[in-house]
Amino acid sequence: MLVALAAANGANDVSKGVATLAGAGVAAYRVAILWGAATTLIGGLLSIQLGRGMGSLFSKGIVDATPSTAFALAVLLATAAWVLLASLLKLPVSTTHAIVGSLVGAGFVLAPGSVQWSGVVQKVVLPLLLSIVVAYALSLVLGIAAKAVVRWTDARQAAADRLLVAASTGEAGTAVEAQARSVEHNVSAASRTGRVITILHWISSGATGCARGLNDTPKIAAIGGFALVPAGFSATAVSVLVILAMAGGSLAGIRVARTLGEKVLKMSHVEGLTANLTTAGLVGSGALLALPMSTTQVSTGAIVGAAGGQLSRLSGSTLRDFAIAWLITPVFGALVAALAYTVLR
């Protein structure tokens, strides 16, 4: 079940880093998915050293009781079932939400007093909710700044075109021709800037994939460790198993990637870049500070923010479906985990 959950997570979450590349037309989906799988692998490996705080939170900070193998299996089963179902339905959902809901549901059956409600609210719920707002605001500001640069570049190009036409038809003298060459030089520099933006988009996409590997690996490994560490596996071995399964599952992420890349917002190159910068920054910081964030919600908030307040460009029906799925996620996890643990213990 651990491998199944990690693979399902890869299939659902790889889209959060690569959807902007494909949605903005920078790369084909299959190429973007391969990039996401590779960077997820890197982030997962980094989490072995950098993700210990996150692993500790999910192994001890939500349910304060000694978990059994049946408990671990119930949590893994409930979480994997929901993430897999959502992936089949092409819905980006939060593995973090599903794990927390499953832990609470199974923990309540294990011992009602073992659920650390204050920790759940302060260390899980609040960071998750705040991250959406911050992602939207940060992406909005970055998007406005980036679009101002694009408008300036377009204006310089138009000025160069007009002056060059005037010079070539003899409608202006050498002064105008010299000015035209000067403007053309500036436009050439702007073209180089465009190539830099493309490179940065790829880097930001990779950074998002790396951040989500860093963010999700410790959570999943912590649950698997409940059963595998007592059986003789080291914590590092459990993490490596999760990383490999997650990276492999990422190769099946094209369905969810199309939903996030095309149905929320028809993104431009610059909008995709700003959304990725926001997602990578927030999710990566959260992973290092042991503040669990949903890559799904951060990425969606960043993509919506990239629209620059132009709400008419957003797909209301798609965002509605996302919101419904997000509300169902912890409830489904809690109910299924509680039922599964009742049967298995």
Side-chain angles (χ1 to χ4, degrees):
M1 286 309 303
L2 177 65
V3 171
L5 172 56
N9 170 270
N12 196 275
D13 269 23
V14 71
S15 61
K16 315 327 166 23
V18 303
T20 61
L21 282 176
V26 179
Y29 275 99
R30 295 191 184 281
V31 174
I33 291 291
L34 287 173
W35 178 238
T39 54
T40 293
L41 181 64
I42 294 171
L45 292 173
L46 289 174
S47 75
I48 294 175
Q49 289 297 323
L50 302 178
R52 293 177 180 175
M54 186 75 76
S56 178
L57 172 62
F58 277 78
S59 60
K60 302 175 183 177
I62 297 176
V63 176
D64 184 20
T66 303
S68 63
T69 299
F71 178 89
L73 184 58
V75 173
L76 291 170
L77 176 64
T79 306
W82 175 247
V83 177
L84 179 59
L85 176 61
S87 298
L88 293 174
L89 295 174
K90 305 178 183 179
L91 291 171
V93 295
S94 170
T95 302
T96 303
H97 284 186
I99 291 176
V100 172
S102 299
L103 281 171
V104 170
F108 195 78
V109 174
L110 174 66
S114 68
V115 179
Q116 303 298 297
W117 294 108
S118 60
V120 170
V121 173
Q122 295 176 10
K123 298 180 180 180
V124 178
V125 176
L126 289 180
L128 287 172
L129 293 178
L130 288 174
S131 65
I132 305 174
V133 178
V134 175
Y136 173 84
L138 183 57
S139 185
L140 177 65
V141 172
L142 287 175
I144 291 172
K147 287 172 184 176
V149 173
V150 170
R151 285 194 297 270
W152 176 84
T153 302
D154 291 343
R156 299 296 288 180
Q157 177 68 68
D161 290 343
R162 289 193 300 269
L163 289 170
L164 286 172
V165 169
S168 64
T169 57
E171 296 177 5
T174 56
V176 172
E177 186 175 0
Q179 186 180 1
R181 290 198 182 100
S182 175
V183 174
E184 187 176 24
H185 173 75
N186 290 335
V187 171
S188 178
S191 178
R192 290 194 295 272
T193 300
R195 290 193 293 273
V196 171
I197 289 176
T198 298
I199 294 172
L200 289 176
H201 196 166
W202 278 98
I203 293 174
S204 69
S205 172
T208 301
C210 188
R212 81 160 203 88
L214 183 62
N215 181 63
D216 286 348
T217 300
K219 303 170 187 175
I220 300 173
I223 308 305
F226 291 157
L228 295 181
V229 170
F233 286 80
S234 68
T236 299
V238 175
S239 294
V240 170
L241 183 62
V242 169
I243 293 163
L244 293 176
M246 188 186 296
S250 296
L251 300 177
I254 193 168
R255 293 168 63 87
V256 180
R258 288 189 182 278
T259 299
L260 197 58
E262 299 175 9
K263 295 188 176 180
V264 176
L265 169 72
K266 296 295 183 183
M267 286 176 285
S268 69
H269 191 2
V270 173
E271 288 169 343
L273 169 62
T274 56
N276 268 346
L277 287 174
T278 299
T279 304
L282 289 179
V283 175
S285 299
L288 294 175
L289 296 173
L291 294 174
M293 295 183 186
S294 164
T295 311
T296 300
Q297 292 184 345
V298 171
S299 177
T300 303
I303 290 173
V304 171
Q310 298 173 324
L311 300 182
S312 60
R313 297 177 57 201
L314 302 173
S315 171
S317 60
T318 299
L319 292 175
R320 178 204 61 207
D321 292 344
F322 286 6
I324 292 173
W326 295 348
L327 290 173
I328 293 174
T329 297
V331 177
F332 181 99
L335 293 177
V336 173
L339 178 61
Y341 185 54
T342 300
V343 173
L344 293 171
R345 67 176 176 169

